[in-house]
Short mmCIF file of all heavy atoms in Angstrom, two decimals:
data_model
loop_
_atom_site.label_atom_id
_atom_site.label_comp_id
_atom_site.label_asym_id
_atom_site.label_seq_id
_atom_site.Cartn_x
_atom_site.Cartn_y
_atom_site.Cartn_z
N PRO A 94 106.02 164.35 -95.48
CA PRO A 94 105.23 165.41 -96.10
C PRO A 94 104.83 166.43 -95.05
O PRO A 94 104.55 166.08 -93.91
CB PRO A 94 103.99 164.65 -96.61
CG PRO A 94 103.89 163.44 -95.74
CD PRO A 94 105.29 163.09 -95.31
N HIS A 95 104.83 167.69 -95.45
CA HIS A 95 104.28 168.73 -94.58
C HIS A 95 102.78 168.78 -94.84
O HIS A 95 102.34 168.73 -95.99
CB HIS A 95 104.92 170.09 -94.88
CG HIS A 95 106.38 170.13 -94.50
ND1 HIS A 95 107.11 171.29 -94.50
CD2 HIS A 95 107.23 169.14 -94.11
CE1 HIS A 95 108.34 171.02 -94.11
NE2 HIS A 95 108.45 169.72 -93.88
N LEU A 96 102.04 168.83 -93.78
CA LEU A 96 100.57 168.89 -93.90
C LEU A 96 100.13 170.14 -93.16
O LEU A 96 100.53 170.35 -92.02
CB LEU A 96 99.98 167.63 -93.25
CG LEU A 96 98.48 167.40 -93.40
CD1 LEU A 96 98.08 167.30 -94.87
CD2 LEU A 96 98.05 166.12 -92.68
N ILE A 97 99.34 170.97 -93.83
CA ILE A 97 98.97 172.24 -93.19
C ILE A 97 97.46 172.30 -92.95
O ILE A 97 96.68 171.53 -93.52
CB ILE A 97 99.45 173.45 -94.03
CG1 ILE A 97 98.73 173.53 -95.39
CG2 ILE A 97 100.95 173.42 -94.23
CD1 ILE A 97 98.97 174.84 -96.13
N CYS A 98 97.07 173.23 -92.08
CA CYS A 98 95.64 173.44 -91.81
C CYS A 98 95.01 174.24 -92.96
O CYS A 98 93.88 173.97 -93.37
CB CYS A 98 95.45 174.22 -90.52
SG CYS A 98 96.23 173.50 -89.08
N GLY A 99 95.74 175.26 -93.44
CA GLY A 99 95.21 176.17 -94.46
C GLY A 99 94.75 175.44 -95.70
O GLY A 99 95.49 174.62 -96.25
N GLY A 100 93.53 175.73 -96.14
CA GLY A 100 93.03 175.15 -97.38
C GLY A 100 92.39 173.79 -97.20
O GLY A 100 91.87 173.23 -98.17
N PHE A 101 92.40 173.24 -96.01
CA PHE A 101 91.83 171.91 -95.77
C PHE A 101 90.67 171.99 -94.78
O PHE A 101 90.81 172.60 -93.71
CB PHE A 101 92.87 170.98 -95.12
CG PHE A 101 93.91 170.45 -96.05
CD1 PHE A 101 95.03 171.21 -96.38
CD2 PHE A 101 93.81 169.17 -96.58
CE1 PHE A 101 96.01 170.72 -97.22
CE2 PHE A 101 94.79 168.67 -97.42
CZ PHE A 101 95.88 169.45 -97.75
N SER A 102 89.55 171.33 -95.13
CA SER A 102 88.53 171.09 -94.12
C SER A 102 89.00 169.87 -93.33
O SER A 102 89.89 169.15 -93.77
CB SER A 102 87.18 170.81 -94.78
OG SER A 102 87.24 169.56 -95.45
N VAL A 103 88.38 169.62 -92.19
CA VAL A 103 88.83 168.46 -91.40
C VAL A 103 88.61 167.15 -92.17
O VAL A 103 89.39 166.21 -92.03
CB VAL A 103 88.14 168.41 -90.00
CG1 VAL A 103 88.63 169.55 -89.13
CG2 VAL A 103 86.64 168.42 -90.11
N ASP A 104 87.54 167.10 -92.99
CA ASP A 104 87.30 165.89 -93.79
C ASP A 104 88.41 165.69 -94.80
O ASP A 104 88.89 164.58 -95.01
CB ASP A 104 85.96 165.98 -94.52
CG ASP A 104 84.81 165.81 -93.56
OD1 ASP A 104 84.70 164.72 -92.97
OD2 ASP A 104 84.05 166.78 -93.36
N GLU A 105 88.80 166.80 -95.46
CA GLU A 105 89.89 166.69 -96.45
C GLU A 105 91.19 166.27 -95.77
O GLU A 105 91.98 165.51 -96.32
CB GLU A 105 90.06 168.02 -97.19
CG GLU A 105 88.94 168.26 -98.18
CD GLU A 105 88.81 169.73 -98.62
OE1 GLU A 105 89.34 170.63 -97.95
OE2 GLU A 105 88.15 169.96 -99.63
#
Side-chain angles (χ1 to χ4, degrees):
H95 292 190
L96 187 60
I97 66 169
C98 305
F101 284 82
S102 68
V103 291
D104 287 297
E105 286 162 342

